[in-house]
Amino acid sequence: MPAVSKGDGMRGLAVFISDIRNCKSKEAEVKRINKELANIRSKFKGDKALDGYSKKKYVCKLLFIFLLGHDIDFGHMEAVNLLSSNKYTEKQIGYLFISVLVNSNSDLIRLINNGLKNDLNSRNPTFMNLALHCIANVGSREMAEAFASQIPSILVAGDTMDSVKQSAALCLLRLNRTCPDLVPMGEWTARVVHLLNDQHLGVVTSATSLITTLAQKSPEDFKTSIALAVARLSRIVTSASIDLQDYTYYFVAAPWLSVKLLRLLQCYTPPEDAALRSRLTECLETILNKAQEPPKSKKVQHSNAKNAVLFEAIALIIHYDSEPTLLVRACNQLGQFLQHRETNLRYLALESMCTLASSEFSHEAVKTHIDTVINALKTERDVSVRQRAVDLLYAMCDRSNSKQIVAEMLSYLENADYSIREEIVLKVAILAEKYAVDYTWYVDTILNLIRMAGDYVSEEVWYRVIQIVINRDDVQGYAAKTVFEALQAPACHENLVKVGGYILGEFGNLIAGDSRSSPLVQFDLLHSKFHLCSVPTRALLLSAYIKFINLFPEVKATIQEVLRSDSQLRNADVELQQRAIEYLRLSCIASTDILATVLEEMPPFPERESSILAKLKRKKGPGNVPDIDDARWNVNGNGNAEQSENAEGTNKFSPSLMADLLPTNRPRPASSSPTMLSAGTMGSAHPFTDLLNLNSSPSAGASLLVDVLSDSSTPASADVSEENFSRFVCKNNGVIFENQLLQIGLKSEYRQNLGRMYVFFGNKTSTQFLSFSSSVTSSDTLKTQLNVHTKPVDPTVEGGAQLQQILNIECLSDFTDAPVLDIQFRYGGALQNIAVKLPVMLNKFFQPTEMASQDFFQRWKQLGVPQQEVQTIFKAKHPMDTDVTNAKILGFGVALLDGVDPSPANFVGAGVIHTKNTQVGCLLRLEPNTQALVKRRTHTQTHPCIEPSYSCCNRVCVCVFPVQMYRLTLRTSRESVSQRLCDLLSDQF
């Protein structure tokens, strides 16, 4: 690179920077900058014969001012003119200014591209490097279209200098990441592979990065790189550090190139050629041997470089999973790091051993370190390392050590960090079920889980224990006795009350012979917890009470008194009130035989896969949960995969767990068995209607299990996530989707019929997302109503990094549907597919309109045609709060008009919906009623299993209770707009 002459010191720039630093206040700095900007502007306009040095100096000043945070709106043309200079320093400053300040949509892009083309064709290596750096820094689509076909030619040309080849490879890598569709695959692909044999290691390093990225997209085109990568790696690991002196880093030969070559090899399966495979094995053994050698330096840089190569080599060994000797050696090497003083090394060792534990060749070797891992779990101060220790214990667990590992996890659970307690609970529940030989131990383990971490025990866990208890006759009595004893504690977690209510309601008769657990004692024990529980748990206990009447006729009168009390019959909760009334009537009018039929014991559940494992995989993300043998479990807890597979074909209908406990007055499907209460008898309005989620539709349940348990690289079509859609009706910013792998945030702005949405994709893992793509799909109808233009995204998202995509939106006419954001990426070798409904609603194109009271009601009367008005009356979902309501109406997009409505409690708003084709005015009025009286008339109809001759079944119960109601009225000039806006807004209160 040419030396800088004394005349290039730019004294004026140095003086200006000194003046800025000497400013005593922000105002003085701004004043000095404005003075300098005025001077530069006058120089650019007045002096037409400004020399290159002066242009360079003034452009540098503008660049410095911009870096201080001030806007620069001139000087771009002068910077472009510097590109035509033959002096390196002037050209360098021009490219620097363009890289920092010129927008990719600038009108100057064509002139800039001409300057770039001239420098690329100049064959001057210094100028070519500057041009390639600029293309890579800007990375716009226009530059990719202009140079994507020229840069490969420069890269593979025989007369191109090494420094230019390096820049060309990295520039092409950048363009491939930003615009992969514009980088052509042609003859150069075969020639670029041979750069791995280049004598210049800088070229080899750059080319390896490029080839690795291209191989992930088109593996077959670069398969010849395997042999060259192995040969180059062999030469590096077998050479002395003095042989590669220029690329030796603290006595480690070319560590960055070694890591890149090992990553390239991870794109492919083990080499088929025996000689090549043997040579690669020798390389890996050499790396493992060098890790055992005494360090050649005590500096941390030496150990970092050495360990970087070692961990990448172990990752390749794990990826191949075909060499037992290497796998065991890798495990032993990692075991030495488990007690290393460096926290990062301990973390990486635990993480790598989690993967090794799933290999049949190294599982036993991993198990030898169980004591060290348990000690790390107890003594490690870093919570992330403790979490990896939990993962490793879970991965190394089998029948020989399951009780020890579960006991250690339970012991750690009491002091575990709150962020990982739920995950530990899930893992303990899975291991206890998977490796339970004695199911009394399983019951004890789950009850201990609930006792120690009840808040973190999800519904799937206690659903599962109930399934297993029902399906295993040998454990039912023990479960009833154990739950009864656990409930006697002064303070019980609500989940324990749920389990106790269910099990005692089904199997309390098995322990009723003991006077210490007589029917009345059982009932009193359960009822003592009733007033402390939430509404869903109270509903379950009421169902247990009606079961007690069937099991224990002697407590019938006591239970009827409870059901007859005012706190039940006049309960504010509709579900509890209805249950109490219906259960009371059922106990009064039904004979013993009918009660026994309606309330008979739950039948065994069909065999099915564990929902707890599915939940854990959803929480951790595919690829982050180590596989354990016999992945398919049936509900009885054994690992017979064949039986489980056979059961899948017949498991089209499963009786609901709570259906037998919760008989109501709803009719039973005709196809139900006459000997038990159908799962369909319970409506879906209450969360306990399908407690074990056995009656979920195939589209909801089956696709979930396929998504989390399938090893296929081609995922099933993703269900569109609408979970957070309604939250964005009255706001524009927030998180729209989040799982264990990915977080998607939105930031939107709208003006008239145009909008711009910034979508932020956050990689929550420490692993790259590869082949990342994001596109927006719309229905055919919506495409005529809404235009959504997406800008391409980088196909690679680094671990812990965030990626931004911009969506430009244009509203053509009113619409009701919403576009869908489709995301695909490859994580851990598996292709992930996520679909999220984008919160682009009609109200986003509101422009608020201020109106006086007289103008409002005049316009209100003009929109009095019935087709122009939509009105709905609905029950408030949330407590009425004036400030919250004001905020939601303003967030909806209309102007809130104070003092317009005669009633000060009402809310009035006005706005105009802007579309490309028309404008639609809108007036709205929201009237809250805090003391509306609602009558509920309940017919105690004949139950499906009760004879119709009981005339008392025709009685009617009428309940009157106050509720909070809203009346929402919208008037617009278009009926479809009124209806859509009404649907959107009414869902927010």
Side-chain angles (χ1 to χ4, degrees):
M1 193 171 290
V4 179
S5 64
K6 292 183 179 180
D8 289 330
M10 292 188 289
R11 182 173 177 276
L13 175 64
V15 171
F16 174 62
I17 293 174
S18 178
D19 290 347
I20 294 295
R21 289 176 176 171
N22 292 331
C23 290
K24 302 297 184 183
S25 64
K26 184 68 176 177
E27 291 76 12
E29 177 183 315
V30 171
K31 183 178 179 181
R32 179 67 181 89
I33 288 174
N34 288 337
K35 178 182 177 182
E36 191 65 35
L37 288 175
N39 177 55
I40 297 173
R41 197 187 299 270
S42 65
K43 292 290 185 182
F44 283 166
K45 285 186 177 181
D47 195 348
K48 299 298 183 183
L50 207 62
D51 62 354
Y53 170 78
S54 299
K55 285 183 183 179
K56 177 185 70 172
K57 179 178 66 175
Y58 293 135
V59 167
C60 271
K61 288 183 178 181
L62 292 177
L63 186 58
F64 179 72
I65 293 171
F66 176 79
L67 295 178
L68 289 176
H70 300 271
D71 292 333
I72 300 297
D73 56 2
F74 69 98
H76 299 74
M77 194 63 199
E78 283 70 18
V80 173
N81 290 337
L82 286 176
L83 301 187
S84 58
S85 172
N86 287 325
K87 290 187 176 181
Y88 169 76
T89 54
E90 294 175 7
K91 191 183 289 286
Q92 181 193 34
I93 295 301
Y95 277 124
L96 181 60
F97 186 93
I98 290 167
S99 299
V100 176
L101 270 87
V102 173
N103 189 288
S104 59
N105 298 323
S106 171
D107 296 334
L108 299 174
I109 285 293
R110 286 191 176 182
L111 288 175
I112 295 171
N113 285 351
N114 287 335
L116 290 168
K117 192 170 293 185
N118 291 336
D119 285 336
L120 290 178
N121 294 331
S122 67
R123 311 310 294 174
N124 183 321
T126 303
F127 293 170
M128 292 177 75
N129 273 327
L130 286 175
L132 290 168
H133 293 170
C134 180
I135 296 170
N137 286 331
V138 177
S140 67
R141 190 169 186 84
E142 291 78 5
M143 285 188 177
E145 291 174 347
F147 302 107
S149 59
Q150 183 178 1
I151 295 174
S153 303
I154 296 173
L155 176 61
V156 299
D159 57 345
T160 304
M161 292 189 65
D162 292 336
S163 62
V164 179
K165 285 183 180 180
Q166 286 179 261
S167 299
L170 295 177
C171 182
L172 196 58
L173 175 61
R174 163 71 170 164
L175 295 183
N176 182 72
R177 287 174 175 171
T178 55
C179 309
D181 55 312
L182 295 180
V183 178
M185 292 290 180
E187 297 179 359
W188 65 272
T189 55
R191 297 174 63 186
V192 77
V193 171
H194 291 284
L195 290 178
L196 295 177
N197 271 336
D198 198 280
Q199 294 182 351
H200 194 283
L201 287 191
V203 175
V204 180
T205 305
S206 303
T208 305
S209 298
L210 175 63
I211 293 169
T212 302
T213 301
L214 296 176
Q216 291 168 351
K217 185 170 66 172
S218 306
E220 289 300 321
D221 292 340
F222 297 90
K223 203 166 185 177
T224 55
S225 64
I226 298 175
L228 297 177
V230 172
R232 174 62 75 173
L233 182 64
S234 176
R235 293 201 295 272
I236 293 173
V237 298
T238 57
S239 65
S241 57
I242 56 173
D243 296 338
L244 302 172
Q245 192 167 4
D246 291 342
Y247 286 86
T248 296
Y249 181 77
Y250 286 89
F251 304 102
V252 181
W256 284 277
L257 178 54
S258 301
V259 167
K260 290 177 183 294
L261 290 170
L262 290 165
R263 286 185 180 173
L264 172 59
L265 293 172
Q266 291 176 51
C267 297
Y268 296 96
T269 56
E272 297 177 359
D273 182 78
L276 186 61
R277 190 166 182 167
S278 174
R279 189 174 185 184
L280 178 57
T281 302
E282 289 177 7
C283 292
L284 296 174
E285 288 177 343
T286 304
I287 294 173
L288 293 175
N289 291 335
K290 286 186 176 181
Q292 300 288 343
E293 296 175 358
K296 297 180 181 179
S297 172
K298 293 183 179 180
K299 293 189 176 181
V300 68
Q301 291 91 338
H302 171 72
S303 60
N304 284 347
K306 187 176 177 181
N307 291 331
V309 178
L310 173 63
F311 275 103
E312 206 61 49
I314 292 175
L316 181 61
I317 293 170
I318 295 172
H319 172 73
Y320 284 166
D321 194 20
S322 59
E323 296 290 339
T325 305
L326 286 178
L327 286 164
V328 172
R329 285 197 61 187
C331 180
N332 294 334
Q333 181 64 52
L334 292 172
Q336 297 177 15
F337 290 135
L338 293 179
Q339 295 178 308
H340 200 278
R341 59 187 179 87
E342 284 289 334
T343 304
N344 288 338
L345 283 180
R346 297 196 300 273
Y347 179 93
L348 292 172
L350 289 167
E351 188 176 46
S352 298
M353 289 184 78
C354 281
T355 313
L356 279 173
S358 62
S359 171
E360 59 177 319
F361 303 118
S362 55
H363 182 78
E364 291 299 322
V366 172
K367 284 169 55 180
T368 60
H369 301 283
I370 184 171
D371 293 332
T372 307
V373 179
I374 290 173
N375 183 62
L377 189 64
K378 295 177 179 178
T379 60
E380 183 62 55
R381 286 185 288 182
D382 192 305
V383 64
S384 61
V385 179
R386 294 199 301 270
Q387 186 170 1
R388 294 286 79 79
V390 171
D391 292 342
L392 181 53
L393 285 175
Y394 174 80
M396 69 168 61
C397 187
D398 57 20
R399 295 195 183 277
S400 65
N401 58 17
S402 57
K403 289 193 176 183
Q404 180 188 5
I405 288 177
V406 168
E408 293 294 343
M409 284 188 172
L410 283 174
S411 175
Y412 171 64
L413 183 59
E414 295 187 85
N415 302 314
D417 190 86
Y418 291 105
S419 62
I420 63 174
R421 285 194 179 186
E422 184 181 2
E423 184 182 324
I424 296 175
V425 166
L426 290 174
K427 289 181 174 177
V428 169
I430 290 171
L431 296 178
E433 178 185 348
K434 178 62 186 172
Y435 299 114
V437 177
D438 178 6
Y439 275 88
T440 59
W441 171 73
Y442 170 74
V443 171
D444 289 338
T445 300
I446 299 301
L447 292 182
N448 278 334
L449 273 183
I450 298 174
R451 178 180 59 81
M452 290 188 291
D455 290 337
Y456 302 92
V457 175
S458 62
E459 292 182 336
E460 287 85 353
V461 175
W462 72 267
Y463 292 171
R464 191 68 177 165
V465 70
I466 287 174
Q467 286 183 16
I468 291 176
V469 169
I470 287 176
N471 281 34
R472 299 192 66 90
D473 297 338
D474 57 333
V475 80
Q476 291 167 358
Y478 180 81
K481 177 176 178 294
T482 307
V483 167
F484 175 78
E485 292 172 352
L487 287 173
Q488 291 177 344
C492 295
H493 193 274
E494 191 167 332
N495 282 337
L496 183 59
V497 178
K498 293 176 184 177
V499 175
Y502 194 96
I503 291 180
L504 292 180
E506 289 288 334
F507 310 114
N509 60 310
L510 299 178
I511 60 171
D514 191 334
S515 59
R516 292 171 297 180
S517 56
S518 64
L520 186 59
V521 173
Q522 291 184 41
F523 170 73
D524 289 340
L525 181 59
L526 284 178
H527 196 56
S528 66
K529 314 293 182 185
F530 186 88
H531 66 286
L532 300 173
C533 299
S534 62
V535 170
T537 306
R538 293 184 186 186
L540 187 150
L541 290 177
L542 288 178
S543 302
Y545 296 168
I546 193 67
K547 282 275 190 174
F548 271 25
I549 292 178
N550 178 45
L551 293 176
F552 314 117
E554 61 267 31
V555 299
K556 179 176 180 180
T558 305
I559 294 175
Q560 285 180 335
E561 283 302 315
V562 172
L563 295 176
R564 196 177 284 118
S565 63
D566 285 350
S567 62
Q568 305 301 336
L569 296 182
R570 298 184 180 180
N571 197 294
D573 186 83
V574 178
E575 183 68 31
L576 292 181
Q577 184 187 106
Q578 182 173 352
R579 288 187 185 220
I581 293 171
E582 293 178 353
Y583 292 167
L584 178 61
R585 296 302 303 151
L586 180 62
S587 67
C588 293
I589 66 175
S591 66
T592 304
D593 292 340
I594 293 175
L595 274 179
T597 302
V598 175
L599 303 173
E600 68 175 348
E601 187 178 306
M602 246 333 252
F605 289 95
E607 298 172 353
R608 57 183 291 132
E609 293 171 324
S610 171
S611 59
I612 310 176
L613 183 61
K615 180 178 177 65
L616 179 63
K617 288 198 174 186
R618 289 197 303 271
K619 181 177 177 61
K620 293 286 286 181
N624 280 355
V625 180
D627 294 329
I628 53 179
D629 58 340
D630 300 330
R632 290 188 179 276
W633 311 348
N634 59 39
V635 77
N636 296 318
N638 59 47
N640 192 329
E642 184 177 355
Q643 289 180 3
S644 183
E645 289 174 0
N646 294 338
E648 286 183 3
T650 59
N651 187 19
K652 297 180 180 178
F653 173 78
S654 306
S656 170
L657 174 64
M658 293 305 293
D660 200 37
L661 275 178
L662 307 180
T664 67
N665 62 347
R666 298 173 179 83
R668 180 182 63 181
S671 60
S672 300
S673 169
T675 62
M676 66 178 180
L677 198 63
S678 164
T681 61
M682 194 62 206
S684 60
H686 198 272
F688 281 81
T689 57
D690 187 10
L691 203 56
L692 281 180
N693 199 25
L694 297 181
N695 294 318
S696 57
S697 63
S699 62
S703 63
L704 176 63
L705 290 174
V706 168
D707 191 42
V708 297
L709 297 176
S710 173
D711 291 328
S712 172
S713 61
T714 304
S717 58
D719 293 334
V720 178
S721 172
E722 302 182 23
E723 181 180 357
N724 297 320
F725 180 81
S726 62
R727 298 181 186 177
F728 283 78
V729 171
C730 296
K731 68 175 186 177
N732 290 332
N733 305 332
V735 176
I736 187 69
F737 175 86
E738 183 169 12
N739 63 11
Q740 191 64 21
L741 301 178
L742 180 69
Q743 182 186 70
I744 303 176
L746 300 180
K747 183 178 180 182
S748 310
E749 53 188 12
Y750 295 87
R751 188 170 184 179
Q752 296 185 351
N753 71 312
L754 301 177
R756 174 169 289 181
M757 181 178 289
Y758 299 88
V759 186
F760 300 92
F761 303 99
N763 183 349
K764 297 174 63 178
T765 73
S766 58
T767 306
Q768 279 186 335
F769 291 166
L770 303 174
S771 304
F772 189 93
S773 65
S774 171
S775 60
V776 175
T777 58
S778 305
S779 63
D780 293 339
T781 303
L782 185 60
K783 288 178 181 177
T784 64
Q785 301 165 337
L786 194 73
N787 277 340
V788 182
H789 175 71
T790 62
K791 294 195 174 183
V793 294
D794 195 323
T796 303
V797 186
E798 299 293 335
Q802 189 181 79
L803 186 67
Q804 175 183 306
Q805 183 178 33
I806 299 177
L807 311 182
N808 293 315
I809 305 164
E810 181 183 21
C811 180
L812 305 177
S813 62
D814 61 281
F815 59 94
T816 57
D817 201 359
V820 174
L821 182 68
D822 290 317
I823 304 105
Q824 281 194 348
F825 58 92
R826 193 171 291 277
Y827 172 81
L831 189 63
Q832 307 296 319
N833 191 2
I834 297 171
V836 181
K837 193 172 183 180
L838 284 176
V840 182
M841 306 92 160
L842 188 58
N843 66 293
K844 299 298 181 183
F845 302 95
F846 256 130
Q847 290 295 308
T849 304
E850 296 290 342
M851 300 180 73
S853 177
Q854 182 179 355
D855 297 334
F856 178 87
F857 285 107
Q858 181 180 355
R859 180 59 177 162
W860 184 269
K861 292 177 182 178
Q862 293 174 355
L863 297 173
V865 180
Q867 291 82 1
Q868 295 175 331
E869 178 182 282
V870 172
Q871 186 178 94
T872 181
I873 299 175
F874 55 94
K875 181 180 176 182
K877 299 178 184 177
H878 313 287
M880 290 185 176
D881 185 296
T882 302
D883 293 336
V884 173
T885 305
N886 284 337
K888 287 185 177 181
I889 292 176
L890 290 172
F892 193 65
V894 298
L896 192 61
L897 308 180
D898 294 328
V900 170
D901 197 284
S903 173
N906 294 344
F907 303 88
V908 175
V912 177
I913 295 285
H914 285 263
T915 71
K916 184 178 181 180
N917 301 329
T918 185
Q919 297 181 6
V920 181
C922 172
L923 305 178
L924 70 84
R925 188 182 190 188
L926 182 67
E927 302 167 77
N929 186 347
T930 58
Q931 292 296 323
L933 294 179
V934 175
K935 291 183 179 180
R936 176 165 182 166
R937 178 168 300 178
T938 304
H939 292 267
T940 53
Q941 298 171 351
T942 303
H943 283 277
C945 295
I946 300 179
E947 295 296 331
S949 59
Y950 285 86
S951 59
C952 57
C953 286
N954 295 323
R955 295 179 183 178
V956 175
C957 175
V958 179
C959 306
V960 180
F961 51 93
V963 296
Q964 295 182 329
M965 305 288 291
Y966 284 104
R967 178 165 62 186
L968 175 62
T969 308
L970 280 107
R971 291 188 179 184
T972 73
S973 55
R974 186 168 298 182
E975 181 182 6
S976 59
V977 174
S978 302
Q979 186 62 57
R980 179 56 178 160
L981 294 177
C982 185
D983 294 341
L984 289 171
L985 188 57
S986 62
D987 193 44
Q988 300 301 304
F989 298 100

